[in-house]
Amino acid sequence: MGALLGSLLVLIGSVFLLLAGLGLIRMPDVYNRMQAGTKATTLGSILIFIGFAVLFPGQWARLAILVLFIFLTNPLSSHALARSAHHQGVPVLLPNTSTWDGAGRDDLADAKAEKRAGGSI
Amino acid sequence: MERVRAQAVLTAILFLIWLLLSLPVQFSEVIVGAVVALIIAAVPLPGPAVYREIIPLPRRLGAGLIYVVVFLWAVVKSNIDVAFRVLAPRLPINPGIVRVKTRLTSRVGRLLLANSITLTPGTISVEIDGDDLFVHWISTDARDVEEATGKIVRGFERYLEVCFG
């Protein structure tokens, strides 16, 4: 029973990781790829760790630390990537792709432009 | 007094992580872990000043626990949400970067808020500037700053505010 439950958790986790990879290919720009890359991988790897904890109950404490570590580092790295992309001037929407409706909006670019105009940077 | 409390908090955190790492634990390991944690906490580094913001009062710990539950539930929801977006043939996204405001003043609180935003429904914190957080939103659905703040920030802020101030 434990082996079945553990394996099932690992399998579901792997599916989420697969979806994250698919998202990296399907999404149109850096920021949206980041969305797929951060979120699906978080739940995916955590489910795999929980599955391991069910399969190998003696290791639960170390796996718990790993989960904590992922919760702390995963968002940090994607934040750093998104932030540096924006500093490099990567636009929020790619031109020439028309798979979505609605104009893009970028409050951060506006705020940066305002600051530059005010000379406070 | 504040400094001693920060050192006590740091010692407790280090000791807990040590215990988790060395489970099943032996008595000698407990002693060594406690001593080393005390020594590290006693070294006057600039970093541990952050631990002054962690004040172990029952009310704050309770809010922290509720926050963890709210946060985990949001993580599960966001993962399923993004998974559906990836799988949907029409790729239903409407991305944009919105400005939101936070009431939190402590550094730990803001760190956890930004982290939680990144890990939950379709949002990534891109930049922070004073009280303003700039968030990339996969399905932008707000007319102004207040609406975006209500949808993205409030759910976590309510508990983090009590926990860290």
Side-chain angles (χ1 to χ4, degrees):
Chain A
M1 190 59 209
L4 185 69
L5 182 65
S7 315
L8 208 62
L9 284 168
V10 174
L11 182 68
I12 299 172
S14 321
V15 170
F16 272 106
L17 289 183
L18 178 72
L19 288 176
L22 197 64
L24 284 183
I25 299 171
R26 288 206 67 196
M27 290 298 181
D29 74 344
V30 180
Y31 305 100
N32 289 301
R33 286 187 173 150
M34 216 84 75
Q35 297 272 8
T38 346
K39 293 184 215 311
T41 54
T42 318
L43 191 63
S45 21
I46 282 163
L47 280 176
I48 289 178
F49 284 139
I50 296 175
F52 282 165
V54 173
L55 289 175
F56 309 104
Q59 301 294 327
W60 71 267
R62 288 177 186 80
L63 291 164
I65 288 184
L66 282 175
V67 169
L68 191 68
F69 196 70
I70 284 185
F71 271 135
L72 287 178
T73 55
N74 201 336
L76 269 182
S77 58
S78 46
H79 158 70
L81 285 168
R83 185 164 181 262
S84 56
H86 204 278
H87 274 283
Q88 295 280 323
V90 178
V92 171
L93 285 178
L94 290 180
N96 306 328
T97 30
S98 50
T99 39
W100 58 78
D101 342 308
R105 107 185 232 165
D106 188 348
D107 286 357
L108 180 52
D110 298 347
K112 280 183 182 171
E114 247 169 58
K115 272 207 172 174
R116 240 175 273 125
S120 55
I121 271 190
Chain B
M1 175 57 206
E2 256 199 352
R3 195 159 157 263
V4 173
R5 195 187 62 215
Q7 284 172 338
V9 168
L10 179 56
T11 308
I13 292 174
L14 289 171
F15 185 58
L16 245 168
I17 291 177
W18 167 259
L19 280 188
L20 283 174
L21 269 177
S22 50
L23 221 71
V25 78
Q26 278 161 3
F27 184 66
S28 57
E29 288 177 327
V30 175
I31 299 296
V32 171
V35 170
V36 173
L38 269 173
I39 292 174
I40 294 175
V43 176
L45 295 170
V50 169
Y51 294 98
R52 286 177 196 191
E53 292 167 357
I54 304 175
I55 303 164
L57 296 174
R59 196 169 59 94
R60 292 182 171 233
L61 292 177
L65 274 181
I66 299 174
Y67 159 74
V68 168
V69 174
V70 170
F71 167 71
L72 286 178
W73 176 237
V75 167
V76 172
K77 266 198 314 192
S78 84
N79 276 280
I80 293 169
D81 175 70
V82 171
F84 270 121
R85 283 180 203 280
V86 169
L87 283 177
R90 281 195 61 242
L91 210 63
I93 58 174
N94 176 27
I97 293 186
V98 295
R99 179 206 294 261
V100 296
K101 296 233 171 248
T102 175
R103 287 193 299 242
L104 299 175
T105 50
S106 67
R107 282 178 290 176
V108 178
R110 286 181 168 196
L111 170 76
L112 285 177
L113 178 68
N115 259 14
S116 313
I117 288 173
T118 302
L119 280 172
T120 49
T123 48
I124 288 183
S125 351
V126 178
E127 179 69 284
I128 186 163
D129 178 24
D131 287 342
D132 295 345
L133 272 163
F134 294 91
V135 175
H136 180 265
W137 201 352
I138 200 167
S139 60
T140 313
D141 179 23
R143 298 253 166 271
D144 51 21
V145 176
E146 278 72 42
E147 200 184 347
T149 306
K151 284 189 173 166
I152 298 176
V153 175
R154 286 287 173 256
F156 299 121
E157 203 181 52
R158 207 181 324 154
Y159 305 109
L160 286 174
E161 201 171 29
V162 182
C163 195
F164 296 108

